[in-house]
Amino acid sequence: MPQFDYDLITIGAGSGGVRASRLAGGYGARSAVVEADRVGGTCVLRGCIPKKLLVYGVHYAAQFEDAANYGWTVESATHNWAALIRNKNTELDRLHGIYLTILKNNKVALHEGRGVLVDPHTVEVNGKRITGANILIAVGGWPSLPKVPGIEHAITSNEALELPKRPQRIAIVGGGYIAVEFAGIFEGLGSEVTLIVRSSLLRGFDADISAALATEFGKRHVAIKSGVEISSIAKQGEALTLTFSNGDKMTVDCVLYATGRHANTKNLGLEAAGVKTKENGAIMVDEWQRTSVPHIYAVGDVTDKLQLTPVAIAEGRAVSETLFNNNPIKADRENVPTAVFSTPPISTVGLTEVEARAKYGKLDVYESRFKPLIHTLSGRDERTYMKIVVESKTDKVVGCHMMGADSPEIIQGLAIALKCGATKAQFDATVGIHPSAAEEFVTMRTKRAEPEAKAAE
Ligand code: NDP
């Protein structure tokens, strides 16, 4: 008789957990996954996928406008928010079904209910105890809300994806991924959007990219209120009155907080199992995703590293390859590309200029700002911004940044180049695709003046 019910029990059936448990099952391990909600996790059910479907839906508004100068007459286009939400949910149901099939096909036992660790090898689900030789914690994260009087009137991205009606006036708190993505969604459909940013827009991204987005937001009537925080929220009838730290007031129909996400580790039984967490509740792991208990692993947002779906998937894969396929691998976090599906979108790989300067000292920086060809005819006042950061000494490209249409599709390819250690000379030796925006990345020839050279002018 085996000592444990399973070789691997995964708590949380999101992107990282499903990848680990289904690979484990596929390699012949006795694999189980425990899930309190529907299988799919944040990305599929209340993150990347539904958000991107809404972003696609919104793009039509601008395309209808832009079509006029291309000879089209698009009359009385109206938008039905409820239909978009309904159809998006139908697609999520389909994806949920695919995930269930994947688990079934890989012989992964699904235990529905909240999983709680009762000791280092035992998980309790709905009063039933199951044991595992290894345990993987992949319970993800949840939106964090600051303690502000009236915060109960605020929504998070979870509710924003399910709103029965689109709010006409919406305040969005935060300047990160989620805030700027929802700003684009609501503004694109005609809502009056105010972004409330306590420090800077997209802090941590290259400063030129953040500035380029702020300029485009200005053209699109997304108001940015920066350097302030909300000190209280009061509800009067259907409206919400926001009072700011500087005494200003504002009335809106909805306030959405996108102020970061915290690890879902409360009441998970981590203490009973001896799993250590950081001060913010995130689980501490080593480079093999091992927690302070060697046979308990953690992947994805619960570890508070890079909160990105493909990273969680890479981590989940690494755990199962290592444990069940005699193929010890670690998730590689070098040059992870990322995208913000704002309007226009942003995508980036490698280091920002500031990070590269701190690491390498002297840099060659190339940049390009232009009106995309499509808008020479459409008349839309939207510009694309691109930047390449190169280490002077080696000529190695260490960062590529773009704001503009299709930037996620373009940067994904450049991420391979950076992974291969491409030099600027190799970028230059690559023939462009004409006419495209992407070709700018292989045709930038003029170095931007270095800061000290600029100062001497
Ligand atoms: P982020 O960490 O990206 O941004 C949080 C924002 O909220 C920052 O601007 C921060 O300001 C601000 N903030 C934090 N606390 C407060 C507060 N008390 N009052 C006012 N503002 C505050 O978090 P998000 O919630 O946008 O997203 C969470 C994570 O999810 C992201 O980091 C990303 O990894 C992932 N994600 C990825 C997406 C993608 O790949 N496209 C899409 C959506 C999410 P400050 O800068 O001053 O700290």
Side-chain angles (χ1 to χ4, degrees), residues 267-341:
N267 303 327
L268 194 60
L270 296 181
E271 310 74 22
V275 174
K276 290 203 179 113
T277 56
K278 297 184 202 167
E279 225 169 85
N280 65 3
I283 295 180
M284 284 159 40
V285 287
D286 68 8
E287 55 189 349
W288 297 97
Q289 308 302 135
R290 259 187 323 222
T291 68
S292 50
V293 181
H295 68 270
I296 302 184
Y297 297 77
V299 298
D301 290 359
V302 76
T303 64
D304 183 31
K305 291 210 166 141
L306 280 175
Q307 295 184 358
L308 298 171
T309 297
V311 172
I313 290 174
E315 293 170 352
R317 171 170 177 255
V319 169
S320 280
E321 287 291 330
T322 303
L323 288 177
F324 305 113
N325 196 31
N326 198 21
N327 175 27
I329 53 171
K330 301 174 208 165
D332 181 358
R333 293 189 193 81
E334 275 279 299
N335 287 324
V336 172
T338 181
V340 185
F341 294 95

Side-chain angles (χ1 to χ4, degrees), residues 51 146 174-178 181 198-199 203 258-261 307-308 339:
K51 174 275 311 285
Y177 280 81
I178 296 179
E181 289 180 341
R198 70 172 178 189
S199 56
R203 186 167 63 82
T259 45
R261 297 171 60 86
Q307 295 184 358
L308 298 171

